[in-house]
Amino acid sequence: MSDYKMLINGQMVAGATATPVLNPATEDAIADCPRASKAQLDQAVAAASAAFPAWSKTSIDERRKVLVAIADVIQANVTELARLLTQEQGKPLQDATGEVFGASAFFRYFASLDLPAKVVTNDATGRIEVRRKPLGVVGCIVPWNFPVMLMAFKVPAALLAGNTVVVKPAPTTPLSSLRLAELIKDLAPPGVINIITDANDLGGAMTAHPDIRKISFTGSTETGKKVMASAADALKRISLELGGNDALIVLDDVDPKETAPKVFGAAMQNAGQVCIAAKRIYVHESIYDAMCDEFATLADNWVVGDGLEQGTQMGPLQNKAQFEKVMGFLDSAKKDGKVIAGGGRKGDKGYFIQPTVVRDIAEGSQLVDEEQFGPVMPVIKYSDPADAVRRANASIYGLGGSIWAKDSDRAWDLAENMESGSVWVNKHADLRPDLPFGGAKFSGIGSELGEEGLKEFTQVQVLNMAR
Ligand code: NAD
């Protein structure tokens, strides 16, 4: 059992209590994790508040240097961090390595941005500038599916803009964040970065905290609604990156053999626990049987196992609650459609679920209408592409979506009618640090990444002078 500590005011500190973190592949404890008390949350916020005046006055070049230093440290420790991430999250080591590398790239990307004042007028009559000021203390709340990468959506942008942060990872995947905290603790002045871990009990206190000026939240839509309500009292700024139920539409001109593996990968990555996983697969009737057969063959041959084992393509579900939720979806899917691959738990230890393909299923089924967040893909038949887009849009969610076709111009024309924050053609879930990422409808408010994402960590100030 190793000991992990939290980062508060530049110091590694023990939690008020400690509870184990489980490896979802074995259900064995990996380590004890500190759990902060409300008083420790207050200490972290106080440290961030105290550090804010000086940090916000540093030059953007100084802040860039800190981001690059953090990127370097992440990259130098990729092997250790990726292994820890696989152990606590479950994903294959190769994917964990990609996630950690991605996080360092995101820090580096934000270090390349600028927040210049826009000079609107500067003449004999006066001077007018539009500036971007930092907000103050930002609370960053992160879920368990991409703990390292999603932290890197928020922290570098918040810091570059001149804010200080209190970060809270999800209670079931805190260790990679805490190890990272230890590695970077001396790279920024004390109090600029604070990382605390909870027992799923401090999110509400963070969102209601009077001294946190913005909450950058990634998680479920249900929790996002609570964040919004709780932030109202202090009129906090919020960014909400929430759930999704991405539709992926396959047109009639694709080659099933060539397209099916790509679609399958978009649904099964991270065991389906991706906000922008393909969660509803619409396939044209003329190729429906062929595509379903390909999906079933892929599922039967997909290598499911401990992420630390070489060759594993898919790990377990991250936690018991999610495992049970997806098993519930499977029960209902068996009634509403025809399971042609998988369909149950794999083994009797660890939260493994077989990659599952369900055909002859349609809207009205839980598996189609709700976010499964697991390795269970519904394949839905359609005959008219415009109707498929209408059906794809008939969802409360609007995070991502994609259209697949040999004739990519035809797909492009349909794509603009999708009601989602990102729409891809002949690919899915292509995230880049320089592109804003955010959801329509119940999938969120605001965006992260790109210049737009950076601006969300700022307040506009107009300086307007007469001469
Ligand atoms: P969750 O909402 O249960 O938890 C997310 C975080 O919120 C955790 O750190 C949790 O401790 C914290 N939290 C819990 N109660 C809170 C409260 N009352 N106030 C504030 N914070 C609170 O989500 P999850 O189950 O960890 O993550 C899965 C969900 O996240 C899925 O719906 C997925 O689609 C979504 N997600 C969205 C994006 C995106 O960018 N849109 C990315 C990844 C995941």
Side-chain angles (χ1 to χ4, degrees):
M1 288 272 180
S2 50
D3 247 347
Y4 287 81
K5 290 189 167 154
M6 308 184 293
L7 176 58
I8 299 178
N9 203 20
Q11 303 293 319
M12 299 308 294
V13 300
T17 58
T19 54
V21 173
L22 302 186
N23 178 338
T26 60
E27 298 177 56
D28 294 330
I30 312 164
D32 272 340
C33 171
R35 308 293 178 181
S37 60
K38 168 73 171 57
Q40 287 180 309
L41 166 64
D42 290 342
Q43 284 165 17
V45 177
S49 299
F52 175 69
W55 178 251
S56 62
K57 291 279 181 256
T58 54
S59 70
I60 196 159
D61 269 344
E62 258 175 84
R63 302 201 290 268
R64 284 196 184 109
K65 278 188 200 137
V66 171
L67 299 194
V68 170
I70 294 174
D72 289 343
V73 164
I74 295 174
Q75 216 169 319
N77 291 278
V78 85
T79 307
E80 181 196 347
L81 288 168
R83 207 177 156 79
L84 189 56
L85 179 58
T86 289
Q87 284 175 302
E88 67 175 350
Q89 205 284 334
K91 66 186 61 184
L93 189 55
Q94 197 182 334
D95 296 353
T97 305
E99 177 173 345
V100 178
F101 264 123
S104 75
F106 284 26
F107 271 87
R108 246 179 254 293
Y109 163 73
F110 280 109
S112 75
L113 294 190
D114 203 357
L115 276 171
K118 187 173 158 203
V119 181
V120 180
T121 302
N122 189 17
D123 58 21
T125 63
R127 182 178 173 94
I128 304 174
E129 281 186 19
V130 180
R131 294 191 176 180
R132 293 272 171 183
K133 311 279 280 185
L135 296 164
V137 179
V138 174
C140 303
I141 301 179
V142 181
W144 44 255
N145 59 341
F146 289 89
V148 180
M149 187 145 92
L150 291 173
M151 179 165 62
F153 276 34
K154 306 175 186 303
V155 173
L159 295 182
L160 185 78
N163 304 284
T164 56
V165 296
V166 176
V167 183
K168 193 198 81 58
T172 54
T173 53
L175 301 180
S176 45
S177 303
L178 293 177
R179 178 65 187 128
L180 187 61
E182 202 176 353
L183 290 167
I184 65 170
K185 75 176 171 43
D186 299 321
L187 299 181
V192 169
I193 306 172
N194 303 274
I195 303 184
I196 60 164
T197 44
D198 72 340
N200 216 23
D201 56 351
L202 289 182
M206 277 178 83
T207 57
H209 204 294
D211 297 330
I212 294 183
R213 291 310 313 141
K214 175 182 169 113
I215 291 286
S216 174
F217 174 85
T218 303
S220 62
T221 296
E222 279 321 300
T223 312
K225 290 182 192 172
K226 289 186 198 159
V227 170
M228 195 167 178
S230 150
D233 224 26
L235 219 68
K236 247 181 216 90
R237 274 60 180 156
I238 50 170
S239 298
L240 304 177
E241 297 290 349
L242 308 178
N245 195 6
D246 285 14
L248 183 158
I249 302 175
V250 186
L251 301 189
D252 57 1
D253 62 350
V254 306
D255 172 1
K257 263 212 164 2
E258 195 190 311
T259 305
K262 296 175 191 163
V263 172
F264 188 77
M268 295 296 167
Q269 202 221 338
N270 207 28
Q273 302 162 115
V274 186
C275 52
I276 41 174
K279 292 175 183 147
R280 296 176 284 158
I281 317 296
Y282 286 87
V283 178
H284 190 264
E285 58 188 1
S286 63
I287 51 166
Y288 185 77
D289 290 339
M291 286 291 283
C292 286
D293 292 348
E294 292 294 331
F295 291 145
T297 305
L298 286 159
D300 289 342
N301 293 299
W302 215 239
V303 183
V304 181
D306 189 325
L308 289 181
E309 278 164 25
Q310 214 172 357
T312 295
Q313 288 172 294
M314 192 175 99
L317 278 286
Q318 198 281 317
N319 57 69
K320 189 161 189 245
Q322 188 62 25
F323 169 79
E324 283 168 356
K325 186 181 144 195
V326 178
M327 290 299 282
F329 270 74
L330 270 179
D331 285 343
S332 79
K334 282 174 191 164
K335 293 188 207 104
D336 299 336
K338 188 172 165 203
V339 175
I340 53 171
R345 182 176 191 174
K346 181 173 187 290
D348 52 14
K349 199 150 180 47
Y351 308 132
F352 294 100
I353 291 182
Q354 297 166 334
T356 298
V357 182
V358 186
R359 59 169 287 167
D360 303 325
I361 191 163
E363 295 84 355
S365 165
Q366 185 190 30
L367 181 61
V368 177
D369 296 347
E370 296 176 25
E371 182 187 35
Q372 68 272 49
F373 222 58
V376 183
M377 62 188 272
V379 190
I380 307 150
K381 192 188 285 186
Y382 75 86
S383 45
D384 170 23
D387 185 49
V389 172
R390 266 193 298 278
R391 290 161 72 181
N393 288 340
S395 165
I396 57 167
Y397 295 109
L399 195 54
S402 62
I403 315 247
W404 297 63
K406 194 168 260 161
D407 180 352
S408 50
D409 291 337
R410 187 174 152 227
W412 178 269
D413 290 344
L414 281 169
E416 66 179 14
N417 299 321
M418 300 277 279
E419 293 170 2
S420 55
S422 300
V423 192
W424 299 279
V425 172
N426 290 331
K427 52 185 171 177
H428 198 98
D430 180 23
L431 265 188
R432 290 167 41 143
D434 55 345
L435 295 179
F437 173 66
K441 302 192 269 187
F442 279 42
S443 289
I445 292 180
S447 57
E448 292 188 306
L449 303 181
E451 290 175 1
E452 286 84 348
L454 175 60
K455 285 180 183 161
E456 297 229 356
F457 290 94
T458 65
Q459 168 69 47
V460 170
Q461 183 190 53
V462 177
L463 266 178
N464 191 337
M465 173 175 81
R467 279 198 175 109

